[in-house]
Amino acid sequence: MKSERLKRSFYTRSTLKVAKELLGKYIIRKVGNKKISGKIVETEAYIGPKDKASHAFLGKITPRNKAEYLIGGHIYIYLVYGMHWQLNITTYKAEKPECVLIRALDLKEASGPGKLCKYLKLDKSFYGEDLAKSKIIWLEDRGEKVRPSQIIATKRIGIDYAGPYWASKKWRFLLKAFKKIWPNT
DNA sequence: GTACAGATTGAG
DNA sequence: TCAATCTGTACT
């Protein structure tokens, strides 16, 4: 099987393009001598500082979100609701706070952002990890082509606080074939 | 120092 | 429908 690790140049392009192309790619997580992996089937784009739903809205930098400003290909992970980790991958250039939230893999054990991190055993120790270099987590292209007609774009989830303009942006992308995983879509 | 909301989930 | 659970941020 063809299996190629995604390079820096994949991540440093425009965020919406990366968000769509991440669909169908595989995430590989090495724990000891075991590998945990799955296909990415749902993503969301966050384009700070103009995006009110982004943690980096208006160029805000805090100890929590500073990894969002790293060059494309780094992990930005944080805790929400006091109990769930969210895995984000930074995109575009350094100092540009843009990222893609990885929401789901093609497994029912990882069918949501919080469950995905639990499945991949991710936590704050992965903050700022470089997916282009890391030996414990990276992404692979296994040669699966995803056609635009297989991608569904919808509104992002759980960001109504950002107001109707940003909340209505269709920056959530998912593979048609896996729509059935989510009861509320 | 205190108050409060949140890029969710799973149970009821 | 709603509680669990805790960090970052904006106050005093």
Side-chain angles (χ1 to χ4, degrees), chain A residues 8-179:
Chain A
R8 176 81 65 221
S9 57
F10 177 89
Y11 303 105
T12 53
R13 299 169 302 153
S14 90
T15 302
L16 290 177
K17 187 171 278 188
V18 175
K20 276 182 269 193
E21 292 193 16
L22 278 171
L23 296 174
K25 298 294 187 292
Y26 285 76
I27 186 161
I28 316 295
R29 163 82 170 102
K30 204 170 177 186
V31 182
N33 55 5
K34 286 187 177 178
K35 276 184 183 176
I36 304 172
S37 65
K39 184 162 75 173
I40 297 169
V41 297
E42 183 180 1
T43 62
E44 267 177 26
Y46 286 86
I47 304 184
K50 64 179 180 182
D51 181 358
K52 198 175 178 191
S54 166
H55 292 153
F57 180 54
L58 298 181
K60 191 171 62 168
I61 302 181
T62 67
R64 179 205 198 192
N65 77 1
K66 66 176 190 239
E68 204 174 349
Y69 289 80
L70 295 171
I71 191 168
H74 287 80
I75 287 180
Y76 166 39
I77 193 167
Y78 67 91
L79 196 63
V80 274
Y81 302 115
M83 49 200 323
H84 298 295
W85 293 98
Q86 305 274 130
L87 174 64
N88 295 252
I89 298 175
T90 65
T91 54
Y92 205 44
K93 301 173 188 171
E95 310 307 319
K96 301 289 181 185
E98 305 192 8
C99 67
V100 175
L101 168 64
I102 308 300
R103 290 186 56 87
L105 305 180
D106 65 338
L107 300 156
K108 67 173 180 283
E109 298 81 15
S111 59
K115 290 161 76 177
L116 183 150
C117 288
K118 194 177 167 192
Y119 173 73
L120 293 174
K121 302 191 193 308
L122 300 176
D123 57 35
K124 194 151 196 174
S125 66
F126 287 81
Y127 193 88
E129 187 80 12
D130 187 350
L131 291 169
K133 293 180 183 165
S134 175
K135 291 185 168 59
I136 49 177
I137 184 165
W138 65 91
L139 300 186
E140 280 181 4
D141 181 351
R142 294 189 176 172
E144 292 184 24
K145 295 282 178 262
V146 176
R147 298 167 203 271
S149 63
Q150 296 175 273
I151 297 175
I152 301 172
T154 75
K155 292 192 293 184
R156 291 176 290 176
I157 303 295
I159 54 153
D160 289 341
Y161 64 86
Y165 178 75
W166 292 109
S168 66
K169 286 277 180 199
K170 294 191 171 179
W171 286 352
R172 173 178 178 232
F173 304 102
L174 47 108
L175 287 179
K176 218 177 223 174
F178 292 92
K179 194 184 176 187

